[in-house]
C-alpha cells in the first residue's frame, strides 16, 4: 500500500541545510588555518577563531530555518573536537611537557564521546540534557548558554594565546605562563581570565566523563536484571 504521508526529503537536501553548509565552511577554514599555523600564526589565529565563532552561527541557523538535524549535530561536535585536538597536538610540539596537552586532548575526546553514547542509551535527544544530574556545576554549564560560552571561548583563546606567545619549539609551559601572568598588560589579564574559564571546563569534562560512565554501567546492570 502506498505511503500517503509526507514524502521523505532527499538525502542531498539534508546535506545542503544552511547550518550544515556553515559547518563545511568551518572545516575549510580550519584546513587553511592549520596549513599556515607555523608560517603565519596571526592568520592561523584569525581563521581558527572565526571558525570557532561560526559554531554559534550554525546553531542559530538551525533554529531560525527549522533545519535541525542529527547529521548537523554530529558534524558540529566532530568539527569542534577535531579542531581542538589538532590545536592541542600542535601545542604538544611547541611546549614541554607535551604530555600535558596530550592528556587534555584525551580528556576532551573521551568525555564528549562518552556523553554522546550515554545520551543514546538514555533515549535523550540532546547531549546537553543533564537535568537529572546531581552536579550543580554540570547543570549550570549546559543550562546557561553564557556560562558555557565563556568556558568554551576561554579554552580556545588560551590555546591560541599559547601558540602566539611561543618563541621557539621547546618552550617550558610553566615558565611561559608565569612570565606572561606577571607582566602588567592586557594580555596578562586576558590570559588570567582564559585560564579560569579553561579550568572550569576541565572540571566539567571530568564530571561529564564520570556521569556518562555511570549511565553506561547502570544500563549494563539493568540489562542483566531483565529476565
Amino acid at each position: 500500500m502506498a505511503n500517503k504521508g509526507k514524502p521523505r526529503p532527499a538525502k542531498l537536501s539534508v546535506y545542503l541545510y544552511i547550518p550544515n553548509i556553515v559547518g563545511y565552511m568551518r572545516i575549510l577554514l580550519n584546513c587553511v588555518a592549520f596549513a599556515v599555523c607555523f608560517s603565519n600564526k596571526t592568520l592561523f589565529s584569525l581563521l581558527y577563531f572565526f571558525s570557532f565563532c561560526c559554531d554559534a552561527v550554525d546553531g542559530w541557523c538551525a533554529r531560525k530555518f527549522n533545519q535541525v538535524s542529527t547529521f548537523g549535530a554530529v558534524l558540529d561536535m566532530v568539527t569542534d573536537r577535531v579542531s581542538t585536538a589538532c590545536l592541542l597536538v600542535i601545542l604538544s610540539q611547541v611546549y614541554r611537557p607535551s604530555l600535558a596537552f596530550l592528556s587534555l586532548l584525551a580528556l576532551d575526546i573521551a568525555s564528549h564521546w562518552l556523553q554522546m553514547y550515554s545520551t543514546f542509551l538514555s533515549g535523550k535527544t540532546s547531549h546537553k540534557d543533564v537535568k537529572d544530574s546531581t552536579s550543580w556545576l554540570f547543570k549550570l554549564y549546559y543550562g546557561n548558554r553564557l556560562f558555557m560560552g565563556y568556558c568554551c571561548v576561554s579554552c580556545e583563546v588560551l590555546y591560541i594565546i599559547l601558540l602566539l606567545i611561543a618563541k621557539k619549539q621547546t618552550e617550558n609551559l610553566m615558565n611561559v605562563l608565569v612570565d606572561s601572568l606577571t607582566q602588567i598588560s592586557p594580555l596578562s589579564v586576558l590570559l588570567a581570565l582564559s585560564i579560569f574559564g579553561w579550568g572550569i571546563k576541565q572540571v566539567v569534562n571530568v564530571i561529564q566523563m564520570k556521569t556518562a560512565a555511570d549511565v553506561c554501567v547502570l544500563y549494563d546492570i539493568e540489562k542483566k536484571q531483565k529476565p
Side-chain angles (χ1 to χ4, degrees):
M1 189 174 180
N3 184 7
K4 296 182 180 180
K6 293 182 178 180
R8 290 194 307 171
K11 284 192 295 185
L12 183 61
S13 66
V14 178
Y15 283 121
L16 295 180
Y17 278 178
I18 293 175
N20 295 342
I21 292 175
V22 174
Y24 308 146
M25 291 174 58
R26 291 186 64 202
I27 295 173
L28 181 60
L29 285 169
N30 281 329
C31 287
V32 176
F34 285 111
V36 300
C37 63
F38 289 115
S39 60
N40 193 331
K41 291 182 180 180
T42 301
L43 179 59
F44 164 81
S45 301
L46 292 172
L47 292 175
Y48 183 90
F49 192 71
F50 182 67
S51 172
F52 172 76
C53 292
C54 286
D55 185 25
V57 175
D58 62 12
W60 179 86
C61 288
R63 294 185 295 271
K64 175 69 174 180
F65 300 105
N66 192 27
Q67 292 183 338
V68 177
S69 65
T70 301
F71 170 74
V74 173
L75 176 67
D76 183 52
M77 175 166 280
V78 169
T79 302
D80 288 342
R81 303 281 65 77
V82 171
S83 300
T84 302
C86 289
L87 182 50
L88 287 170
V89 168
I90 289 171
L91 290 173
S92 73
Q93 300 302 305
V94 175
Y95 287 95
R96 297 294 179 268
S98 59
L99 183 60
F101 295 102
L102 297 178
S103 299
L104 290 171
L105 188 160
L107 174 62
D108 186 61
I109 292 178
S111 66
H112 283 85
W113 190 90
L114 274 168
Q115 179 68 4
M116 287 293 288
Y117 197 79
S118 66
T119 299
F120 168 74
L121 292 178
S122 303
K124 297 178 180 178
T125 58
S126 172
H127 69 282
K128 297 179 181 179
D129 182 1
V130 296
K131 299 183 183 68
D132 54 352
S133 174
T134 58
S135 170
W136 65 268
L137 181 59
F138 197 35
K139 288 191 287 188
L140 176 63
Y141 179 80
Y142 277 119
N144 189 305
R145 286 182 177 273
L146 287 177
F147 181 66
M148 182 172 67
Y150 163 67
C151 294
C152 292
V153 170
S154 294
C155 270
E156 303 301 332
V157 169
L158 174 63
Y159 297 151
I160 290 172
I161 290 176
L162 287 177
L163 182 63
L164 287 173
I165 63 178
K167 297 178 181 178
K168 55 183 184 295
Q169 291 193 351
T170 55
E171 295 278 14
N172 181 283
L173 178 60
M174 291 308 299
N175 289 344
V176 171
L177 285 175
V178 171
D179 290 343
S180 299
L181 290 172
T182 52
Q183 296 176 5
I184 306 301
S185 67
L187 178 63
S188 63
V189 175
L190 180 60
L191 191 60
L193 290 173
S194 299
I195 290 175
F196 182 71
W198 167 87
I200 294 175
K201 192 169 191 310
Q202 304 319 305
V203 172
V204 169
N205 278 342
V206 172
I207 296 172
Q208 178 170 257
M209 186 165 60
K210 177 60 169 62
T211 302
D214 288 343
V215 171
C216 294
V217 170
L218 289 174
Y219 177 83
D220 286 332
I221 292 174
E222 291 174 359
K223 187 169 64 174
K224 287 184 177 182
Q225 288 177 345
K226 291 182 180 179

